Amino acid sequence: MTRHEDRFAKDLQSEIPHLWRFARSISNSSEAADDLMQTALERALRNKHQYVSGTKLRSWLFAIVRNAQLDEFRKVERRGHHVPIEEWYQDAQFAPAQEKHVELGDVAKGIEGLRPEERDVLELCVFSDMSHDQIATQMGVAVGTVKSRLSRARQALAA
């Protein structure tokens, strides 16, 4: 290790308690803070060549922790929260397949019974996951018309 790397490692170690408190304050648990710290320290060590000697190491490290937390938020937003299969399976209430088949048949009949313009709006909203604005543009109607057709379709299906 060079003298510069040795100094960096020593300074980094002295900042760990401050970093952990910061990580704990922006995360929702001690475990999440530990994970955040591990990610941040790994990034700091991997990118130590980017640290400018003589600047505030704590500020640089805090930025790494904050960015690691933001990356985690984005990952959760993209993938959703992780639920172990054991927990999901225990909490799930499974209905007999025949009942679900009958329910789906009822929904299909209900959708078939809608007026064509209401059915089109419902299908675009639910199955194509389009926004009200996108549906209005595609159908050539006002956004308010899309919303009212969607409301009428939902009311008809609920009845």
Side-chain angles (χ1 to χ4, degrees):
M1 253 188 181
T2 67
R3 185 171 167 234
H4 176 69
E5 289 174 339
D6 207 21
R7 179 71 184 164
F8 180 82
K10 185 178 177 186
D11 290 345
L12 181 63
Q13 286 178 342
S14 69
E15 294 297 329
I16 288 176
H18 303 288
L19 290 176
W20 194 89
R21 282 192 297 275
F22 177 63
R24 179 64 180 102
S25 73
I26 64 172
S27 64
N28 56 2
S29 69
S30 294
E31 293 82 21
D34 290 340
D35 291 344
L36 190 57
M37 281 295 297
Q38 182 177 351
T39 302
L41 291 173
E42 185 269 326
R43 287 182 185 182
L45 291 171
R46 186 180 50 210
N47 297 308
K48 65 184 171 189
H49 65 279
Q50 293 180 349
Y51 172 68
V52 177
S53 185
T55 60
K56 293 185 178 185
L57 179 62
R58 186 176 297 173
S59 298
W60 185 69
L61 294 170
F62 276 30
I64 292 173
V65 170
R66 187 190 71 243
N67 289 338
Q69 177 71 4
L70 290 172
D71 290 345
E72 184 62 28
F73 281 144
R74 289 182 191 118
K75 183 172 76 173
V76 167
E77 189 174 292
R78 276 192 316 269
R79 296 184 181 168
H81 290 286
H82 172 72
V83 177
I85 189 73
E86 297 82 18
E87 288 180 24
W88 174 82
Y89 191 76
Q90 289 174 352
D91 294 341
Q93 298 294 323
F94 295 103
Q98 299 87 351
E99 290 179 20
K100 291 295 180 190
H101 184 71
V102 170
E103 288 176 15
L104 285 174
D106 291 344
V107 170
K109 286 178 187 174
I111 291 173
E112 288 174 14
L114 295 174
R115 294 188 347 217
E117 58 272 6
E118 292 170 356
R119 183 176 49 244
D120 293 343
V121 169
L122 182 69
E123 288 174 354
L124 289 173
C125 182
V126 174
F127 301 121
S128 298
D129 198 29
M130 295 175 71
S131 70
H132 294 164
D133 292 330
Q134 292 169 325
I135 295 169
T137 301
Q138 182 171 335
M139 296 185 78
V141 297
V143 175
T145 303
V146 169
K147 290 179 181 181
S148 66
R149 288 178 182 175
L150 188 57
S151 176
R152 285 193 301 269
R154 288 179 175 157
Q155 287 174 351
L157 289 174

